[in-house]
Amino acid sequence: MTALAAAGPNHGVNGVGLGVLIFFFVLVAVAGFWAARWRRPDNMASLEEWGLGGRSFGTWITWFLLGGDLYTAYTFVAVPAAMFSAGAVSGFFAVPYTIILYPIIFIFMSRLWSVSHRHGYVTPADFVQGRSGSRGLSLAVAVTGFLATMPYIALQLVGIQAVLEVAGVGGGGNVIAKDAPIFIAFLVLALYTYTSGLRAPAIIAFVKDTLIYLVIIVAVIYLPSKVGGWGHVFAAAETKMHATNAATGKPNGTFIPPVGQYWAYATLALGSAMALFMYPHSVTATLSAKDRNTIRRNASILPAYSFLLGLLALLGWVAIAAGTKPIGLDGKPNPQLVVPQLFQDFFPSWFAGVAWAAIAIGALVPAAIMSIAASNTFTRNIYKAWMRPNATVAQEARVSKLTSLVVKAFALVFVLALDKTNALNFQLLGGIWILQTFPSVVFYLYTRWFHRWALLIGWAVGMVYGTITAYEVINPATKAHFGGTLATIPGIGELGYIALTSFVINVVVAAVLTVIFRLARAGEGVDETIPADYFADAGDPKVQKLELGAHERTPSA
């Protein structure tokens, strides 16, 4: 088998595998359209129902929805690809960061759920405006979330494209042969998201996660025995990582991070954990829960996905031991193909098709949630807040549905028209940007000590510093800008995650300016929340949802 893998991929169409992939795609498409009738409310023409599923999902639905949202197709492609090509710092940091993540959300996400339930908030920017009384700060949070989400949606296409390339589809010199499968996939995605809203990915997530667990568990049991065992897997990975890269003159990657890379590894893990639930799609999936205890229970059981992610990451090193050659249909090496190619080489065609279906469906679920979250953000915090303050509930829902179509169309054009490296660079930049909203969202859940103007200026400084610093990182192989997420930390001299360094600068600026603004008695803004709002729960007779927030002219939902 190893000899087969080393011989290189077969670029012919894998008919059986492709047939299995199409079967599961049709299955989830039907489920997506059927979801419009699942728990059907009297009126889907509101963001409460279309964009948040009526805030009615229980523990297991929320678990599958969050798992489908956070562990995307690009995760299942990129993490083992990073392990395959660059090693532990670039790839395995994703495992500890998800472990750090869940205690963080256990602490603060239930508070965000409660205040959002009380006031009908749909997005993080809704809460920021209600808490700070600042339209400018709310707009900054909304625009950051929207821009950071767009390349994330686009990268889901990379997962689908990787599967199609290995299956032998997506080549040729004309648009029909090359891009038609992607057009069809995202047309179906756009239609069932438009009709069913958040209920569609909630249903499909069951199929996606069942397939993912099945495929990964079978793979980690079966594949090592075919390539010489785990001892040989780790030895082969260590040999490759320590070998010198001819293009850079440096080692290919990192097997075990040395002392000099501790800061890089730790800051990547911590910064990524802090950033993930700042994305609008993470908040959208969370706010769909029916009560605050659902959030806490999910924070307790979601680490099961971290275990799965650890196994998945190791498949990148299994591919090294197997001699897998991830060569695209263009004849060029492409590490993003390593997992689909590994399954192509070692499993029967039908099981390879199951694995490909898991990755492809793993793109459809988060892409749907991300597009809903981005469109809700645009509708509530740009359209209604700045263009049409008197918009009705039905108008909000209609604009959000239409925006979701535009968002997906933009993502499709972005990936098909630009090099995939550009999409990846923008997604990495999005992680730097989204972390700069952390003070405005999380700090405000506990205190109003930070002045709204100070938070806005701190956000701007963090955004500018992070963007410039990321631009100055040069890829040693391609000499392109935005070549990575690590740069020297000022005052420390160690490599660290740019997003976390920008965040620290952001907080320091906000704290210093808060003192100055308070001494100058600058306007504080109106806080429409009260302490009891942060502990509200569904069905609490003492807490009734407000129909009209202090900053609104028409109801929220």
Side-chain angles (χ1 to χ4, degrees):
M1 280 291 191
T2 303
L4 172 64
N10 178 8
H11 286 315
V13 175
N14 185 331
V16 174
L18 185 61
V20 173
L21 171 61
I22 293 173
F23 167 78
F24 279 106
F25 180 81
V26 172
L27 176 66
V28 299
V30 172
F33 287 111
W34 174 81
R37 300 179 178 275
W38 176 53
R39 297 184 176 183
R40 185 177 181 87
D42 295 332
N43 180 19
M44 276 281 280
S46 74
L47 293 190
E48 286 273 347
E49 293 296 342
W50 183 82
L52 290 180
R55 303 183 194 259
S56 63
F57 296 154
T59 299
W60 289 110
I61 296 175
T62 304
W63 186 70
F64 279 107
L65 186 64
L66 278 169
D69 185 19
L70 303 180
Y71 296 89
T72 69
Y74 193 69
T75 300
F76 292 113
V77 168
V79 170
M83 292 287 286
F84 176 82
S85 58
V89 172
S90 297
F92 211 76
F93 84 91
V95 178
Y97 107 60
T98 58
I99 296 171
I100 297 169
L101 169 68
Y102 300 119
I104 294 175
I105 66 171
F106 183 92
I107 294 170
F108 78 80
M109 283 305 294
S110 60
R111 292 177 69 92
L112 182 59
W113 184 95
S114 291
V115 70
S116 298
H117 171 78
R118 172 79 166 105
H119 291 271
Y121 299 147
V122 175
T123 70
D126 280 351
F127 163 69
V128 170
Q129 178 163 344
R131 181 66 153 155
S132 68
S134 171
R135 297 175 73 212
L137 184 58
S138 173
L139 180 64
V141 171
V143 170
T144 304
F146 187 85
L147 292 178
T149 303
M150 294 298 288
Y152 221 151
I153 300 172
L155 281 180
Q156 302 315 307
L157 278 170
V158 174
I160 297 180
Q161 286 180 320
V163 166
L164 292 175
E165 279 203 51
V166 173
V169 180
N174 62 77
V175 69
I176 295 178
K178 185 177 181 181
D179 297 329
I182 296 296
F183 276 107
I184 294 171
F186 267 71
L187 176 62
V188 174
L189 167 66
L191 291 176
Y192 70 61
T193 303
Y194 185 90
T195 58
S196 304
L198 195 64
R199 286 173 169 81
I203 288 290
I204 296 171
F206 282 93
V207 180
K208 174 249 186 183
D209 289 349
T210 300
L211 291 177
I212 287 289
Y213 270 95
L214 170 66
V215 167
I216 300 305
I217 290 174
V218 169
V220 298
I221 294 174
Y222 175 78
L223 288 176
S225 65
K226 295 297 180 180
V227 297
W230 283 110
H232 177 63
V233 168
F234 291 123
E238 184 175 18
T239 298
K240 178 179 178 179
M241 292 303 112
H242 290 166
T244 301
N245 187 312
T248 64
K250 298 179 180 179
N252 283 315
T254 303
F255 181 68
I256 296 177
V259 174
Q261 294 187 340
Y262 284 178
W263 275 91
Y265 192 85
T267 55
L268 271 169
L270 178 59
S272 299
M274 293 171 62
L276 187 56
F277 265 79
M278 294 299 99
Y279 282 99
H281 60 273
S282 300
V283 175
T284 294
T286 303
L287 295 187
S288 68
K290 68 178 181 179
D291 55 44
R292 60 186 279 129
N293 283 333
T294 296
I295 307 302
R296 293 183 171 182
R297 283 193 291 269
N298 269 274
S300 300
I301 61 179
L302 274 168
Y305 282 99
S306 300
F307 171 73
L308 183 71
L309 185 62
L311 299 180
L312 177 72
L314 291 177
L315 291 183
W317 282 355
V318 171
I320 295 175
T324 302
K325 295 185 180 301
I327 308 295
L329 292 174
D330 58 2
K332 298 178 181 179
N334 182 358
Q336 294 167 353
L337 306 180
V338 68
V339 165
Q341 187 64 55
L342 182 65
F343 283 102
Q344 164 90 321
D345 293 339
F346 281 88
F347 283 102
S349 294
W350 68 268
F351 192 81
V354 172
W356 298 342
I359 297 172
I361 297 170
L364 298 178
V365 173
I369 302 172
M370 290 171 188
S371 65
I372 290 170
S375 59
N376 287 348
T377 298
F378 172 82
T379 301
R380 291 299 301 273
N381 307 119
I382 298 176
Y383 173 76
K384 182 172 182 177
W386 293 88
M387 301 177 185
R388 191 77 177 274
N390 293 318
T392 65
V393 170
Q395 287 172 335
E396 278 188 330
R398 184 165 57 252
V399 170
S400 194
K401 290 179 180 180
L402 292 174
T403 304
S404 74
L405 298 178
V406 174
V407 164
K408 283 186 278 288
F410 175 82
L412 184 63
V413 172
F414 187 88
V415 169
L416 297 181
L418 297 177
D419 186 89
K420 294 182 183 67
T421 303
N422 292 323
L424 177 59
N425 289 342
F426 278 114
Q427 195 277 329
L428 295 176
L429 193 58
I432 296 171
W433 290 345
I434 201 66
L435 187 53
Q436 307 319 306
T437 66
F438 189 98
S440 299
V441 177
V442 178
F443 292 0
Y444 262 157
L445 286 171
Y446 296 92
T447 178
R448 274 193 102 229
W449 181 83
F450 285 91
H451 195 280
R452 54 182 180 158
W453 296 348
L455 285 172
L456 182 58
I457 296 172
W459 164 85
V461 171
M463 292 283 285
V464 171
Y465 174 85
T467 303
I468 293 175
T469 305
Y471 176 81
E472 292 175 345
V473 177
I474 306 298
N475 186 307
T478 65
K479 308 303 179 184
H481 293 282
F482 297 110
T485 57
L486 300 174
T488 302
I489 304 172
I492 297 179
E494 299 282 353
L495 280 179
Y497 186 28
I498 297 170
L500 193 60
T501 304
S502 303
F503 167 79
V504 172
I505 294 172
N506 177 349
V507 174
V508 170
V509 170
V512 171
L513 290 179
T514 292
V515 174
I516 295 173
F517 285 135
R518 293 201 180 282
L519 291 175
R521 299 185 181 277
E524 295 283 350
V526 177
D527 179 7
E528 70 179 32
T529 71
I530 60 174
D533 293 343
Y534 297 88
F535 303 95
D537 205 352
D540 186 343
K542 297 180 181 179
V543 177
Q544 297 296 327
K545 176 181 173 296
L546 294 178
E547 293 300 325
L548 195 66
H551 65 281
E552 294 182 323
R553 300 183 186 179
T554 57
S556 299

